[in-house]
Amino acid sequence: MTAAVRREPTFVGMPPFPEAAEAELANPVQRANLRAATHTIRAKRDAVVAELPDWELLRRAGEAIKDDVLARLPGLLEHLEAAVRAAGGVVHWARDAAEANAIVVDIVRAEGVDEVVKVKSMATEEIELNNALAEAGIHAWETDLAQLIVQLGDDLPSHIVVPAIHRNRAQIREIFVREMGRVGRPAPERLSDEPAALAAAARLHLREKFLRAKVAVSGANFAIADTGTVCVVESEGNGRMCLTLPETLITVLGVEKLLPTWGDLEVFLQLLPRSATGERMNPYTSMWTGITPGDGPREFHLILLDNGRSDVLSDPVGRQALRCIRCAACLNVCPVYERTGGHAYGSVYPGPIGAILTPQLRGIARHPVDAQTASLPFASSLCGACFDACPVRIDIPEVLVHLRAQVVDGGRGPHDRAEDAGMKTLRWMFEKPWRIGFAQHVAGVGAHFVRHGVIGRVPLPKRVSGPVGAWFADRDAPAPPAESFRSWYKRTEGGREL
């Protein structure tokens, strides 16, 4: 690691991915929970996607709409602002997390309250709003079931759609029994770990908070520039309670969440639920436009959050990450995520999309970043399953390779002297055909000493063996053939003698 690396705490204080992943891999219960959950969601998603003969056309439509939004984002944002103001809402612009958090704190203080209810919002997780509210003496109560489990367990989210995916039913019951009484209504006596019983306990615990709250904070899945309408889709109804009961509603919206018109929403209300939870449609789809006297909140504040998105937009390759609709389909098919879980990524955005979004939001190509952020583009096998699953066709492998090049060019990558020497040797070898032939001949001799057709684990200390040793520590490689194609071709005259 070079002196250019900025020595400051990472996003959530996590070590680089390889180090964090090694610790997570040592947790067999978590691996079992992740495997069961991701395979279940994946099977449901495959079934409902197969019902649509035009699924690929929908994907391409989603890609085209999002690319159009990104191409004319400034104008669409001004259009949205005017529509929201015309409908009685208040629009705020936040360049970064600090500005967004300060705006929320000021609004809550102006209402004279010391607590808010929240519906799950990746944007507020990204800016660490709960910490900012706590520092201001304001309690933030999560109302999404999975997010409530994470909050009560003093944990971190591990998945975009299912933040507590790493917990099983027994663990959730233990958290409810231990923690609910500390912050409100206790869990019922003799609470079982049946899903219905756990959901009922959460419902009773949250009901008093819904009825008492004067201010709610939400995220949003989409915002329609033409009308100023904001949309939240969810499965439990907690979002609708947050969006309708409190007197003041604050929505934090990433600027890339725009859609130009209502007609565009049709595409995404088919893509999102199928990709996220394997459902044909979400149980709850809530939309609101400004305020309506006598119906819902009396004040509506919309905070338009940049927080690095303008920098991402300026990268022709990396900007496709801003198409993301936070469905987590890429997580559910990723072999790396399935084994390490979300915490290893050290970000609110885990998995393949986090590996390309987090480094860009933090500015990997524009200034030195911490070691954890620089490690994320390498947290992938480049198998391409994430691209196949993505409903808006984000070519995640392409962006990963693009970011890896930026990390290496900046002198921040995980390469070492052994890797540099290996690359120089490969370059020398590929400069002359006879050198490649000679190397293949030498490799073929080695095949006579390999058992069972594979090169297994190489027991070299990691600090000595470098990336080659690290690669072989967890993988086998096919043994090279005893005779190279060149030798075979020469010996048989291209197969004529066979």
Side-chain angles (χ1 to χ4, degrees):
M1 199 57 60
T2 71
V5 174
R6 189 169 56 201
R7 303 293 183 187
E8 66 177 24
T10 59
F11 189 36
V12 289
M14 297 291 288
F17 181 84
E19 186 178 337
E22 190 169 0
E24 299 295 333
L25 285 169
N27 185 342
V29 174
Q30 175 175 279
R31 290 208 312 275
N33 295 343
L34 287 168
R35 177 178 173 78
T38 56
H39 282 236
T40 299
I41 299 172
R42 190 191 310 176
K44 291 175 62 179
R45 181 254 180 205
D46 291 346
V48 295
V49 165
E51 295 174 349
L52 297 181
D54 61 345
W55 177 253
E56 187 57 27
L57 291 177
L58 280 170
R59 289 180 76 208
R60 291 185 180 277
E63 175 188 16
I65 293 169
K66 280 293 187 178
D67 281 350
D68 174 56
V69 168
L70 297 177
R72 52 192 184 105
L73 187 58
L76 287 174
L77 285 170
E78 291 177 357
H79 198 41
L80 173 75
E81 179 185 26
V84 172
R85 292 188 191 281
V90 180
V91 177
H92 310 262
W93 297 79
R95 283 172 294 192
D96 53 29
E99 286 192 0
N101 288 334
I103 293 168
V104 176
V105 168
D106 288 345
I107 295 171
V108 177
R109 280 177 171 164
E111 296 297 323
V113 298
D114 62 358
E115 66 174 3
V116 300
V117 289
K118 287 181 62 196
V119 58
K120 186 174 67 175
S121 163
M122 300 304 295
T124 59
E125 290 290 332
E126 175 188 323
I127 61 177
E128 299 181 271
L129 176 62
N130 285 8
N131 291 340
L133 291 172
E135 290 174 1
I138 300 167
H139 303 286
W141 307 117
E142 299 289 350
T143 64
D144 172 82
L145 175 57
Q147 202 69 24
L148 173 68
I149 296 166
V150 169
Q151 185 178 42
L152 291 176
D154 193 23
D155 201 353
L156 294 170
S158 185
H159 191 277
I160 291 175
V161 176
V162 194
I165 194 171
H166 55 298
R167 300 287 192 182
N168 59 35
R169 290 187 295 168
Q171 291 172 321
I172 294 169
R173 176 193 172 279
E174 189 272 332
I175 290 171
F176 279 9
V177 171
R178 188 185 70 231
E179 297 293 336
M180 275 186 168
R182 189 175 58 81
V183 293
R185 181 174 180 137
E189 293 185 3
R190 294 186 292 278
L191 176 66
S192 75
D193 63 2
E194 290 299 315
L198 296 172
R203 188 178 300 117
L204 290 172
H205 178 80
L206 291 172
R207 185 58 56 96
E208 64 179 21
K209 292 180 169 44
F210 283 131
L211 297 177
R212 190 176 63 219
K214 301 291 185 185
V215 179
V217 180
S218 85
N221 294 97
F222 309 104
I224 307 209
D226 262 2
T227 60
T229 303
V230 183
C231 175
V232 166
V233 297
E234 38 114 10
S235 299
E236 301 165 3
N238 64 302
R240 184 158 295 177
M241 300 281 274
C242 284
L243 300 169
T244 55
L245 288 178
E247 297 173 1
T248 299
L249 173 61
I250 306 168
T251 297
V252 182
L253 180 81
V255 293
E256 81 282 13
K257 294 293 187 70
L258 276 186
L259 297 178
T261 68
W262 272 88
D264 299 317
L265 192 60
E266 174 199 351
V267 173
F268 292 94
L269 290 184
Q270 296 182 74
L271 290 173
L272 179 56
R274 283 178 166 82
S275 301
T277 54
E279 297 171 297
R280 297 182 182 90
M281 64 181 295
N282 291 90
Y284 294 89
T285 301
S286 301
M287 303 180 191
W288 66 100
T289 306
I291 57 173
T292 302
D295 184 13
R298 292 188 296 220
E299 288 186 28
F300 170 54
H301 297 265
L302 178 63
I303 300 173
L304 298 175
L305 176 69
D306 187 310
N307 205 33
R309 287 162 174 78
S310 294
D311 289 341
V312 183
L313 188 65
S314 67
D315 186 331
V317 176
R319 70 166 57 173
Q320 56 185 303
L322 296 179
R323 291 186 208 140
C324 179
I325 56 175
R326 311 290 192 262
C327 69
C330 60
L331 278 68
N332 300 328
V333 298
C334 177
V336 177
Y337 174 84
E338 181 183 318
R339 287 158 179 79
T340 63
H343 293 165
Y345 294 82
S347 164
V348 66
Y349 303 114
I353 187 62
I356 63 170
L357 189 57
T358 302
Q360 293 193 90
L361 290 176
R362 290 177 60 79
I364 199 166
R366 296 182 177 274
H367 54 75
V369 296
D370 58 74
Q372 188 265 353
T373 301
S375 72
L376 290 178
F378 299 88
S380 170
S381 64
L382 297 181
C383 69
C386 47
F387 172 64
D388 294 337
C390 179
V392 287
R393 292 174 49 82
I394 300 172
D395 194 341
I396 294 176
E398 179 189 27
V399 183
L400 284 168
V401 173
H402 176 65
L403 295 178
R404 288 181 184 187
Q406 292 179 348
V407 172
V408 173
D409 289 345
R412 303 183 293 266
H415 64 292
D416 61 9
R417 292 181 178 177
E419 184 180 18
D420 288 341
M423 290 298 173
K424 289 177 181 176
T425 302
L426 285 174
R427 184 177 66 184
W428 175 85
M429 186 177 71
F430 280 103
E431 285 176 345
K432 300 288 184 182
W434 72 266
R435 293 173 183 169
I436 298 175
F438 178 74
Q440 290 173 334
H441 178 73
V442 172
V445 173
H448 294 289
F449 303 98
V450 176
R451 292 183 178 181
H452 308 301
V454 297
I455 301 173
R457 180 171 181 172
V458 179
L460 293 174
K462 189 177 294 185
R463 61 187 175 83
V464 175
S465 57
V468 175
W471 197 93
F472 276 105
D474 299 307
R475 303 175 181 88
D476 294 333
E483 183 181 33
S484 69
F485 174 78
R486 289 166 179 266
S487 298
W488 172 87
Y489 194 90
K490 185 177 180 180
R491 177 174 59 80
T492 64
E493 295 186 356
R496 292 176 190 168
E497 295 184 358
L498 295 178

